[in-house]
Coordinates of all heavy atoms in Angstrom, one line a residue:
G312 N -7.2 -7.7 -2.2 CA -7.9 -7.3 -3.4 C -8.8 -6.1 -3.3 O -9.1 -5.4 -4.2
D313 N -9.2 -5.8 -2.0 CA -10.1 -4.7 -1.8 C -9.4 -3.3 -1.6 O -10.0 -2.3 -1.3 CB -11.1 -4.9 -0.7 CG -10.4 -5.2 0.6 OD1 -9.2 -5.3 0.7 OD2 -11.1 -5.4 1.7
S314 N -8.1 -3.4 -1.6 CA -7.3 -2.1 -1.4 C -7.5 -1.2 -2.6 O -7.5 -1.7 -3.8 CB -5.8 -2.4 -1.3 OG -5.6 -3.3 -0.2
L315 N -7.7 0.1 -2.4 CA -7.9 1.0 -3.5 C -6.6 1.6 -4.1 O -5.6 1.7 -3.4 CB -8.7 2.2 -2.9 CG -10.2 1.9 -2.5 CD1 -10.8 3.1 -1.9 CD2 -11.0 1.5 -3.8
A316 N -6.7 1.8 -5.4 CA -5.5 2.4 -6.0 C -5.9 3.2 -7.2 O -7.0 3.0 -7.8 CB -4.6 1.2 -6.5
T317 N -5.0 4.1 -7.6 CA -5.2 4.9 -8.9 C -4.1 4.5 -9.8 O -3.0 4.0 -9.4 CB -5.2 6.4 -8.6 OG1 -4.0 6.8 -8.0 CG2 -6.4 6.8 -7.7
L318 N -4.3 4.8 -11.1 CA -3.2 4.4 -12.1 C -2.5 5.7 -12.5 O -3.1 6.7 -12.8 CB -3.9 3.8 -13.3 CG -3.0 3.4 -14.5 CD1 -2.0 2.3 -14.0 CD2 -3.8 2.9 -15.7
L319 N -1.2 5.6 -12.5 CA -0.3 6.7 -13.0 C 0.5 6.4 -14.2 O 1.1 5.3 -14.2 CB 0.6 7.1 -11.8 CG 1.7 8.2 -12.2 CD1 1.0 9.5 -12.5 CD2 2.7 8.3 -11.1
L320 N 0.4 7.2 -15.2 CA 1.2 7.1 -16.4 C 2.1 8.3 -16.5 O 1.8 9.3 -17.2 CB 0.4 6.9 -17.7 CG -0.7 5.8 -17.7 CD1 -1.5 5.9 -19.0 CD2 0.0 4.5 -17.6
P321 N 3.2 8.4 -15.8 CA 4.0 9.6 -15.7 C 4.6 10.1 -17.0 O 4.9 11.3 -17.1 CB 5.1 9.3 -14.7 CG 5.2 7.8 -14.7 CD 3.8 7.3 -15.0
A322 N 4.7 9.2 -18.0 CA 5.2 9.6 -19.3 C 4.2 9.3 -20.4 O 4.5 9.2 -21.6 CB 6.5 9.0 -19.6
G323 N 2.9 9.2 -20.0 CA 1.9 8.9 -21.0 C 1.9 7.4 -21.3 O 2.6 6.6 -20.7
H324 N 1.2 7.0 -22.4 CA 1.0 5.6 -22.7 C 2.3 5.0 -23.2 O 2.4 3.7 -23.3 CB -0.1 5.4 -23.7 CG 0.2 5.9 -25.1 ND1 0.2 7.2 -25.4 CD2 0.5 5.2 -26.2 CE1 0.5 7.4 -26.7 NE2 0.7 6.2 -27.2
K325 N 3.3 5.8 -23.6 CA 4.5 5.2 -24.1 C 5.5 4.9 -23.0 O 6.6 4.3 -23.3 CB 5.2 6.3 -25.0 CG 4.4 6.6 -26.3 CD 5.1 7.6 -27.1 CE 4.3 7.9 -28.4 NZ 5.0 9.0 -29.2
G326 N 5.2 5.2 -21.7 CA 6.1 4.9 -20.6 C 5.6 3.9 -19.6 O 4.5 3.3 -19.9
P327 N 6.3 3.7 -18.5 CA 5.9 2.7 -17.5 C 4.5 3.2 -16.8 O 4.1 4.3 -16.9 CB 7.0 2.8 -16.5 CG 8.1 3.4 -17.2 CD 7.6 4.3 -18.2
A328 N 3.9 2.2 -16.2 CA 2.6 2.4 -15.5 C 2.7 2.0 -14.1 O 3.4 1.0 -13.8 CB 1.5 1.7 -16.2
F329 N 2.1 2.7 -13.2 CA 2.1 2.4 -11.7 C 0.7 2.5 -11.1 O 0.0 3.4 -11.4 CB 3.0 3.4 -11.0 CG 4.4 3.5 -11.5 CD1 4.8 4.3 -12.6 CD2 5.5 2.7 -11.0 CE1 6.0 4.4 -13.1 CE2 6.8 2.7 -11.5 CZ 7.0 3.6 -12.6
L330 N 0.4 1.5 -10.2 CA -0.7 1.6 -9.4 C -0.3 2.3 -8.1 O 0.7 1.8 -7.5 CB -1.4 0.3 -9.1 CG -2.3 -0.3 -10.3 CD1 -2.8 -1.6 -9.9 CD2 -3.4 0.7 -10.6
L331 N -1.0 3.3 -7.7 CA -0.7 4.1 -6.5 C -1.7 3.8 -5.4 O -2.9 4.0 -5.6 CB -0.7 5.6 -6.8 CG 0.1 6.0 -8.1 CD1 0.0 7.5 -8.3 CD2 1.6 5.6 -7.9
M332 N -1.2 3.6 -4.2 CA -2.0 3.3 -3.1 C -2.1 4.4 -2.1 O -1.5 5.5 -2.4 CB -1.6 2.0 -2.4 CG -1.6 0.8 -3.4 SD -1.2 -0.8 -2.7 CE -2.7 -1.1 -1.8

Side-chain angles (χ1 to χ4, degrees):
D313 59 354
S314 300
L315 291 172
T317 58
L318 180 64
L319 173 68
L320 304 174
H324 71 282
K325 296 180 181 179
F329 303 87
L330 280 180
L331 310 177
M332 303 185 70

